[in-house]
C-alpha cells in the first residue's frame, strides 16, 4: 500500500499556497485564461522543460531564472497564446509580464516564474494581460486551485488536479499538482504544463533531482501523437511550511517524498494521456524482463506511441502483431524467443510463439474500456516481457481516433 493518502485541494492543499484563475480576455472563446499560483514565503523551485530547439520565451526565461536562483514565490500562466517563435519582442513581453505580476504582488521579479500555452507564433495579448493581473492577484485564495486548473487548459476536455499527504518527522507533508495537455504530447515533455506545490523542507539540489526522476517516470513516459511542443514546462515549488525536518540528503524521508512526488506526476501524466485529443481510452504499457528500467521504458514508450497500435486499440482489434513490431523497433536488444505479450488478461504470445485466444472476448475487453469510467475503468493494459532482467518500465498513451485529425485540422481555423 502507498505510504500516503489522497486529499482535496490541488496546488493549494500544501500549507502556505494560494491560487487563482480568471478570464482576462486572452482566449477568443471568453473562457478562463490567466492563472496564478503564489507561495506566502520564498519556496525552493525546480523545473523540467521542453527539449525542443524551438522554445517559447517563457521557457528561456524560466531556465535563466532557475539557473541564477533556485527559489520563487509565484507562477503566472497565460492560456491562448504560446508566445513561441515570436522573436525578441516575445521575450520582451515575457519580461514585462514578470515585472507586472511582481509589482502587483510586491515581490521581486526574480521570484516570478512564467508559463504560456496556446497557438505557436502568437504573442501574448499584453493589453489583456496588463488589465488581468490586478484581477488575478485579487482573486488569490487558499481554495483557488480548481480555478487555476481551469484557466490553464486549451483543447483539454477536463481539468487535471491531485493532492496527496504523507508524514515526515511525525508531521503531515502535502504535495499538490495541476496540469494541462491534450495534444502535441510525446516523451521528452509534450504540449503540457504541470505545476506542483509542496510544503516540505528540501534542499534545492535534491528537489531538482527528485523532479527530474519523477518527470522521467511520468510526463516523459506519455505520448498522444508523437509531437513535442515548444512550451512544455514542469515547475515544482517546496516552501517548507510543513515545519518538518529539512531533507538535505538521500535517505528514507527523501525516498518517501520522491515516491509521493512521482505519484502526483504520474496521476497528472495519465490524466493528460487519457484526455488526448479524440481519445476514447487510456493505454498503459508495462514492460518487464529488461536489462534496466531505462530500457524497459524505451520499449514501453515505443509501443504506446505506435500509430498502428493506437489505431488498432481504437478499432477494438486485438492485433498483437503491431505490439510485437513496435517492441522490436524500440532499439533495445532482446531475444525474440523470450517475447511474451498480453492484452489485459489475454495471453497472445509466449516464448515468441503465437497462442490461440478468444478474439471476440479480447475485442470486447477493448470495447469495455472505451465506455469505462474516466481514469477508473477506461484503461487498456498491454503487458510485454522480453526476458529475465530486473528492469521494469511503464508508459501511457491513448487510442488514435478519427476526431484527432478533425481537431488538429481545424486548430487555427
Amino acid at each position: 500500500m502507498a505510504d500516503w493518502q489522497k486529499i482535496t485541494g490541488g496546488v493549494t492543499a500544501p500549507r502556505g499556497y494560494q491560487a487563482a484563475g480568471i478570464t482576462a480576455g486572452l482566449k477568443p472563446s471568453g473562457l478562463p485564461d490567466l492563472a496564478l499560483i503564489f507561495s506566502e514565503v520564498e519556496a525552493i523551485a525546480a523545473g523540467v522543460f521542453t527539449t525542443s530547439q524551438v522554445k517559447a520565451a517563457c521557457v528561456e526565461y524560466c531556465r535563466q531564472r532557475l539557473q541564477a536562483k533556485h527559489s520563487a514565490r509565484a507562477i503566472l500562466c497565460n492560456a491562448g497564446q504560446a508566445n513561441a517563435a515570436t522573436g525578441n519582442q516575445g521575450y520582451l513581453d515575457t519580461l514585462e509580464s514578470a515585472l507586472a505580476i511582481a509589482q502587483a504582488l510586491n515581490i521581486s521579479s526574480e521570484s516570478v516564474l512564467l508559463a504560456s500555452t496556446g497557438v505557436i507564433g502568437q504573442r501574448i495579448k499584453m493589453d489583456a494581460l496588463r488589465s488581468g493581473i490586478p484581477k488575478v492577484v485579487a482573486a488569490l485564495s487558499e481554495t483557488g486551485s480548481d480555478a487555476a486548473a481551469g484557466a490553464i487548459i486549451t483543447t483539454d476536455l477536463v481539468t487535471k488536479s491531485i493532492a496527496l499527504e504523507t508524514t515526515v518527522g511525525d508531521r503531515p507533508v502535502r504535495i499538490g499538482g495541476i496540469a494541462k495537455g491534450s495534444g502535441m504530447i510525446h516523451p521528452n515533455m509534450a504540449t503540457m504544463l504541470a505545476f506542483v506545490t509542496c510544503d516540505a523542507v528540501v534542499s534545492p539540489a535534491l528537489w531538482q533531482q527528485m523532479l527530474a526522476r519523477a518527470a522521467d517516470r511520468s510526463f516523459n513516459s506519455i505520448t498522444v501523437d508523437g509531437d513535442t511542443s515548444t512550451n512544455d514546462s514542469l515547475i515544482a515549488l517546496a516552501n517548507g511550511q510543513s515545519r518538518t525536518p529539512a531533507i538535505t540528503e538521500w535517505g528514507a524521508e527523501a525516498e518517501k517524498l520522491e515516491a509521493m512526488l512521482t505519484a502526483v506526476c504520474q496521476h497528472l501524466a495519465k490524466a493528460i494521456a487519457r484526455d488526448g485529443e479524440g481519445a476514447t481510452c487510456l493505454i498503459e504499457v508495462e514492460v518487464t524482463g529488461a536489462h534496466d528500467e531505462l530500457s524497459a521504458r524505451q520499449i514501453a514508450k515505443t509501443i504506446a506511441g505506435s500509430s498502428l497500435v493506437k489505431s488498432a486499440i481504437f478499432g477494438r482489434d486485438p492485433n498483437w502483431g503491431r505490439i510485437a513490431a513496435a517492441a522490436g523497433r524500440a532499439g533495445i536488444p532482446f531475444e525474440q524467443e523470450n517475447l511474451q505479450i498480453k492484452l489485459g488478461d489475454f495471453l497472445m504470445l509466449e516464448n515468441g510463439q503465437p497462442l490461440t485466444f478468444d478474439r471476440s472476448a479480447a475485442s470486447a475487453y477493448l470495447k469495455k474500456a472505451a465506455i469505462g469510467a474516466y481514469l477508473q475503468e477506461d484503461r487498456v493494459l498491454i503487458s510485454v516481457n522480453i526476458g529475465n532482467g530486473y528492469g521494469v518500465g511503464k508508459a501511457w498513451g491513448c487510442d488514435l481516433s478519427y476526431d484527432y485529425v478533425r481537431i488538429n485540422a481545424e486548430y487555427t481555423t
Side-chain angles (χ1 to χ4, degrees):
M1 295 293 291
D3 194 18
W4 53 76
Q5 60 182 345
K6 192 173 182 179
I7 58 175
T8 61
V11 291
T12 52
R15 292 166 181 79
Y17 292 97
Q18 300 177 51
I22 66 161
T23 299
L26 296 162
K27 289 179 181 175
S29 64
L31 294 173
D33 49 25
L34 188 62
L36 177 63
I37 299 170
F38 180 62
S39 174
E40 296 170 1
V41 298
E42 197 76 7
I44 298 304
V48 179
F49 303 95
T50 180
T51 58
S52 173
Q53 294 302 303
V54 181
K55 299 177 179 65
C58 57
V59 171
E60 296 287 5
Y61 168 87
C62 285
R63 284 181 181 277
Q64 293 178 22
R65 278 282 175 264
L66 290 175
Q67 286 175 359
K69 181 183 179 183
H70 303 300
S71 65
R73 289 189 64 183
I75 304 170
L76 180 71
C77 177
N78 71 282
Q81 300 84 46
N83 198 24
T86 51
N88 186 60
Q89 187 56 54
Y91 193 76
L92 294 177
D93 291 342
T94 295
L95 295 179
E96 182 183 344
S97 301
L99 182 59
I101 192 65
Q103 291 175 341
L105 291 169
N106 195 29
I107 63 175
S108 167
S109 62
E110 295 180 351
S111 293
V112 173
L113 297 173
L114 300 170
S116 299
T117 184
V119 179
I120 294 171
Q122 293 187 5
R123 288 174 50 199
I124 301 171
K125 295 179 180 178
M126 292 304 294
D127 288 343
L129 185 77
R130 292 184 194 102
S131 62
I133 281 178
K135 298 175 185 176
V136 76
V137 171
L140 281 171
S141 164
E142 293 180 355
T143 58
S145 181
D146 287 347
I152 65 175
I153 62 176
T154 50
T155 59
D156 307 54
L157 296 179
V158 297
T159 58
K160 298 144 180 93
S161 176
I162 190 175
L164 300 177
E165 180 182 275
T166 190
T167 57
V168 173
D170 297 324
R171 291 181 63 87
V173 167
R174 297 172 177 174
I175 299 179
I178 60 174
K180 67 84 54 181
S182 185
M184 290 185 78
I185 305 295
H186 195 57
N188 293 322
M189 304 292 284
T191 254
M192 52 140 285
L193 302 176
F195 308 121
V196 174
T197 58
C198 176
D199 53 18
V201 183
V202 58
S203 68
L206 199 56
W207 189 233
Q208 179 64 51
Q209 292 167 11
M210 288 180 178
L211 188 67
R213 286 192 291 264
D216 281 342
R217 292 167 177 162
S218 59
F219 299 111
N220 283 341
S221 293
I222 59 174
T223 182
V224 168
D225 48 21
D227 274 297
T228 297
S229 179
T230 56
N231 290 58
D232 318 321
S233 300
L234 166 60
I235 298 172
L237 304 179
N239 67 6
Q241 292 303 287
S242 64
R243 307 299 182 188
T244 50
I247 300 174
T248 59
E249 59 185 23
W250 189 250
E253 301 295 9
E255 184 176 355
K256 180 190 292 187
L257 187 66
E258 181 175 329
M260 190 164 73
L261 174 64
T262 301
V264 165
C265 290
Q266 285 184 343
H267 174 89
L268 296 173
K270 287 189 281 187
I272 290 173
R274 173 60 185 89
D275 197 27
E277 291 166 340
T280 69
C281 62
L282 174 72
I283 299 173
E284 179 176 307
V285 183
E286 181 177 54
V287 174
T288 58
H291 176 69
D292 53 30
E293 179 186 349
L294 187 63
S295 299
R297 282 209 314 268
Q298 180 61 33
I299 296 173
K301 288 189 290 187
T302 304
I303 295 169
S306 165
S307 294
L308 291 176
V309 171
K310 292 154 64 68
S311 298
I313 299 299
F314 175 67
R316 321 309 172 204
D317 178 12
N319 187 347
W320 60 264
R322 293 180 173 181
I323 299 170
R329 67 175 173 82
I332 303 300
F334 64 87
E335 297 299 326
Q336 182 171 320
E337 56 266 29
N338 292 331
L339 185 61
Q340 178 194 83
I341 296 175
K342 291 177 66 178
L343 180 65
D345 292 330
F346 298 92
L347 183 60
M348 300 173 166
L349 186 75
E350 179 76 32
N351 297 323
Q353 297 295 316
L355 302 177
T356 300
F357 65 95
D358 189 334
R359 297 188 67 84
S360 295
S363 181
Y365 166 72
L366 298 176
K367 293 175 182 176
K368 184 178 179 181
I371 61 173
Y374 185 81
L375 284 183
Q376 295 179 43
E377 300 166 341
D378 57 352
R379 181 190 67 159
V380 169
L381 177 61
I382 297 172
S383 304
V384 175
N385 182 274
I386 64 168
N388 299 315
Y390 294 102
V392 178
K394 290 185 178 182
W396 298 270
C398 61
D399 56 342
L400 185 60
S401 73
Y402 310 130
D403 279 344
Y404 176 82
V405 175
R406 178 187 58 78
I407 292 167
N408 284 283
E410 301 169 359
Y411 189 69
T412 64
T413 55

